[in-house]
Amino acid sequence: TRLLMEMQDAFEKAVQYDPTLEEAVTRSMRIAYANEFQRAVQAFNRGRNDDSEFTVAAGYFGNAATLQPDSSAAYVNQAYAYMNAGEPNNALEPFEKAIEKGDKEPETFRFLANLYMSNDRMDDAITTLEEATAMYPDNVDLQTELLNAYQVTGQTDKAMRQYKAAVERDPENELFRYNYGTLLTQTGDYEEALE
């Protein structure tokens, strides 16, 4: 990691002194990124037999992210490496960065929201899940996570609106109907709950 930082610094200085080197430097940085990413993938694969390799993979993915900070791939993979290493709290920042840099995978949002919940950051979890469900309104897993978060935080009105909309979108979904009926029962609306 130290050597990569020194390399990056040297490349930046080279371009300052000679702007015609910019294309060559960009190409070299991309090659360095690809090499770090490849090392990370190899370490991640070794993690199947040796859990400590997941931490090594996270380090390599972190190096790759430093070399190409606008790419979400290194961040999200670093987060997964930390999750597999049994270090979920270290995955928080890489998941956040991945989303900030454009990752739109539903699972990225779900994992981040769950990490927020496990760290008593329910407001952040709800914001993350609301953003995700706006992008993926038909994703049952995201809907379920959001509705559960609303219930846990006592936001029954929001949960009711979401469940009602979910039932209207997917009337055959037994889980949505059951949970919506349960909420209606809690509010004393037995007739609608029965339906």
Side-chain angles (χ1 to χ4, degrees):
T1 300
R2 182 182 52 78
L3 289 174
L4 282 174
M5 299 307 104
E6 290 175 9
M7 176 201 73
Q8 189 174 25
D9 186 50
F11 277 145
E12 288 170 4
K13 287 179 181 170
V15 171
Q16 286 175 352
Y17 291 120
D18 186 355
T20 63
L21 294 173
E22 187 167 356
E23 187 177 324
V25 165
T26 299
R27 185 174 44 254
S28 295
M29 290 292 286
R30 286 185 181 145
I31 290 169
Y33 170 84
N35 287 340
E36 286 301 295
F37 204 94
Q38 183 178 12
R39 287 183 184 107
V41 169
Q42 290 168 346
F44 193 93
N45 290 337
R46 288 192 305 269
R48 294 181 184 136
N49 298 318
D50 179 0
D51 287 347
S52 68
E53 287 294 320
F54 288 122
T55 304
V56 173
Y60 282 129
F61 282 125
N63 289 344
T66 300
L67 295 171
Q68 294 287 321
D70 290 333
S71 172
S72 65
Y75 293 113
V76 76
N77 284 295
Q78 182 183 35
Y80 284 125
Y82 279 130
M83 296 291 285
N84 281 295
E87 302 173 30
N89 287 338
N90 288 336
L92 260 168
E93 187 178 339
F95 274 134
E96 291 170 336
K97 283 282 194 191
I99 290 171
E100 177 186 315
K101 298 301 179 183
D103 188 291
K104 301 290 185 216
E105 290 299 314
E107 289 303 303
T108 304
F109 286 92
R110 281 188 62 228
F111 276 116
L112 179 57
N114 283 320
L115 287 171
Y116 283 147
M117 286 183 220
S118 66
N119 284 282
D120 294 324
R121 294 175 59 185
M122 291 305 290
D123 289 343
D124 291 328
I126 287 172
T127 300
T128 300
L129 290 167
E130 286 174 340
E131 182 182 345
T133 55
M135 285 188 284
Y136 302 101
D138 296 328
N139 186 304
V140 175
D141 293 331
L142 289 172
Q143 289 284 340
T144 303
E145 295 279 346
L146 177 59
L147 297 169
N148 288 337
Y150 282 151
Q151 285 183 283
V152 166
T153 58
Q155 298 181 46
T156 308
D157 290 346
K158 283 186 177 182
M160 294 270 284
R161 285 193 298 274
Q162 287 287 348
Y163 272 124
K164 183 175 183 176
V167 168
E168 288 170 357
R169 264 193 320 279
D170 188 3
E172 300 304 313
N173 187 308
E174 296 169 358
L175 179 63
F176 287 163
R177 283 191 170 279
Y178 175 81
N179 288 338
Y180 184 44
T182 301
L183 279 176
L184 289 166
T185 301
Q186 291 172 3
T187 62
D189 192 345
Y190 301 115
E191 296 243 346
E192 198 168 341
L194 182 61
E195 180 188 338

